[in-house]
Amino acid sequence: MTDMMPAPRRRPLWGLFIAPVLLLIAAVAWSVFWFFAASQVDVQADAWRAREAKSGRVYDCARRSVAGFPFRLEVRCDNPSVSLFSQAAGTALMNAKLGEIMVVAQIYDPKRLVALFTGPATITNGSDPSSSFAVNWRLGEASVYGLPSVPQRGALVFDAPTIDRNDGSAQTPVARADHVELHGRLADGSPADHPVIETDVQVNGGSILGQHPMLAQPFNADVDTRLTGLKDVAPKPWPERFREIQAAGGHVEIVRSRIQQGDLIAVATGTLGLTANGNIDGELQMTVAGIEKVIPALGIDKMLEQGVPQSTLDRVAPGVKSQDLNNLFGALDRAIPGLGKVVKQNANVGVAAGINALGKEAVLEGRKARTFPLRFSDGAVLVGPLKVAQIPPLF
């Protein structure tokens, strides 16, 4: 007699639908959560604007929209404007208008915001609306971490930024760069009511136009600083801010600084503070390679050959009179014909030798260099014992 095989047991089909149903429930729940978060953007944005306004920062937006479903929130603001006000003085410090700002926040990382800026921007002086600047860029981006409480760090990044001064219907170039970055953060352990700010500024291919020709030549800069003496980060007029820093015994520490322009390389560290009358005081220890390139770049030899204007002497050699200097060269020519011309033509060599005598020999990035102190004494700028400039008081 043949054994009969038992019929296979059928499994219930409902088990096959468990995973899809759970996935559908999760998708619906996520969608509800996203749309609820999107609906709260206006509420949170208005609350944030109100808090910022109390600190003197007023933000406005012509039209606001929200997108980015399903994993992020994209808040787009058309024709935004920013105004900074001094609460103590009750006056506007600055007004700025942009083309568009898009702020992006990932759902899984809500403390970090990334903003993309669309230019151009117009920046005006709050007390003088006729004084304005046009700012543009190829790519502008900002990021902030630590929201909604006090931000812990932030950054601004611009590719190909340009700054022009508006002069009626024309624009005058002021500054250009290939790339600029500004990073700022609260120092570890820094209290919110007396913050210590650490910054890092990087400039690639920068130039400042309309000043000295040397500044118009492209340069790279990387400067790290540490600022103490702040009570808060609310907008204030610069004189008021500087008084606050001075009264608190604050200072700017140049932790690291490197500037390169062609063959010239300069590094510096040191600390700068303010005196009771608003003058800069402190010392930077500088090491410079290629300092001999500075003398002809400044045009000292050509100025001496052509006669030095008094305005130039007041800037580079306070107290020296142009007529006295030209009379000296004339007297040399009368005593020994041609001597005055020789002295003029070799003046740059003498100046370079004088500067080299001020410091010590050093090596910077494999090159011969000089190390010397750059001192700021009650606003006077001194290289060794020589006074080379006078900076006006900051308040």
Side-chain angles (χ1 to χ4, degrees):
M1 184 174 181
T2 305
D3 294 336
M4 299 294 292
M5 296 293 294
R9 183 179 179 182
R10 290 188 177 183
R11 294 182 179 180
L13 297 179
W14 60 267
L16 300 176
F17 298 99
I18 292 179
V21 169
L22 292 177
L23 182 61
L24 178 61
I25 293 174
V28 171
W30 183 264
S31 299
V32 171
F33 168 74
W34 187 94
F35 283 104
F36 172 77
S39 69
Q40 293 298 302
V41 166
D42 287 342
V43 175
Q44 296 300 324
D46 290 340
W48 173 77
R49 288 176 57 209
R51 290 195 301 269
E52 289 291 291
K54 291 180 180 179
S55 297
R57 294 178 287 263
V58 178
Y59 300 89
D60 202 0
C61 185
R63 188 175 69 87
R64 191 163 55 203
S65 60
V66 182
F69 181 81
F71 297 114
R72 63 182 187 177
L73 291 171
E74 296 178 359
V75 182
R76 193 180 302 271
C77 177
D78 295 330
N79 299 320
S81 63
V82 181
S83 298
L84 303 184
F85 288 87
S86 168
Q87 294 176 307
T91 58
L93 303 177
M94 184 202 75
N95 298 306
K97 294 183 178 180
L98 293 83
E100 180 186 85
I101 297 178
M102 184 175 71
V103 180
V104 179
Q106 304 293 343
I107 294 293
Y108 52 83
D109 190 13
K111 288 188 175 182
R112 182 174 184 267
L113 296 181
V114 176
L116 301 176
F117 306 109
T118 301
T122 301
I123 300 176
T124 59
N125 187 333
S127 59
D128 183 12
S130 63
S131 175
S132 66
F133 294 87
V135 184
N136 210 342
W137 52 86
R138 184 172 61 238
L139 173 66
E141 181 179 302
S143 61
V144 180
Y145 181 82
L147 298 174
S149 59
V150 177
Q152 298 301 306
R153 62 179 183 267
L156 281 171
V157 179
F158 290 96
D159 282 340
T162 64
I163 303 176
D164 298 315
R165 181 183 290 105
N166 290 323
D167 298 321
S169 59
Q171 289 186 345
T172 303
V174 173
R176 299 286 187 271
D178 295 332
H179 184 80
V180 174
E181 294 189 20
L182 170 60
H183 299 265
R185 58 191 169 273
L186 287 176
D188 291 341
S190 172
D193 56 344
H194 286 82
V196 177
I197 307 297
E198 297 176 339
T199 68
D200 177 16
V201 179
Q202 301 172 20
V203 179
N204 294 331
S207 60
I208 300 174
L209 309 175
Q211 302 298 319
H212 193 281
M214 187 175 179
L215 298 178
Q217 299 299 316
F219 63 87
N220 296 334
D222 191 353
V223 182
D224 291 351
T225 68
R226 182 182 174 92
L227 175 62
T228 63
L230 297 174
K231 289 184 179 179
D232 51 47
V233 293
K236 296 177 182 177
W238 283 113
E240 182 181 339
R241 177 68 75 188
F242 289 135
R243 287 192 186 94
E244 173 186 297
I245 293 173
Q246 192 278 330
H251 58 264
V252 175
E253 179 186 357
I254 311 297
V255 180
R256 180 179 62 88
S257 172
R258 183 186 186 276
I259 300 175
Q260 180 171 4
Q261 185 184 58
D263 293 333
L264 174 69
I265 301 176
V267 299
T269 59
T271 301
L272 300 177
L274 291 170
T275 63
N277 55 2
N279 284 316
I280 297 178
D281 202 80
E283 183 175 303
L284 300 180
Q285 194 67 29
M286 297 193 66
T287 302
V288 182
I291 195 171
E292 68 279 358
K293 304 290 185 180
V294 176
I295 304 306
L298 291 174
I300 293 177
D301 52 342
K302 293 182 180 178
M303 288 191 297
L304 290 173
E305 290 177 5
Q306 299 169 2
V308 185
Q310 187 60 53
S311 59
T312 302
L313 276 174
D314 289 340
R315 205 167 54 245
V316 301
V320 178
K321 299 300 181 183
S322 175
Q323 187 60 42
D324 294 341
L325 190 60
N326 293 330
N327 288 342
L328 172 61
F329 292 140
L332 291 174
D333 274 329
R334 286 192 299 272
I336 303 177
L339 179 59
K341 183 178 181 180
V342 171
V343 172
K344 291 178 183 179
Q345 291 175 340
N346 291 276
N348 61 316
V349 177
V351 173
I355 292 177
N356 284 335
L358 296 175
K360 300 178 180 179
E361 289 187 0
V363 176
L364 178 60
E365 300 181 12
R367 296 174 54 191
K368 290 184 178 180
R370 306 294 298 184
T371 295
F372 54 88
L374 181 65
R375 295 189 297 119
F376 297 79
S377 179
D378 203 24
V381 184
L382 301 102
V383 178
L386 301 179
K387 179 180 177 180
V388 297
Q390 179 71 41
I391 300 175
L394 300 183
F395 59 82

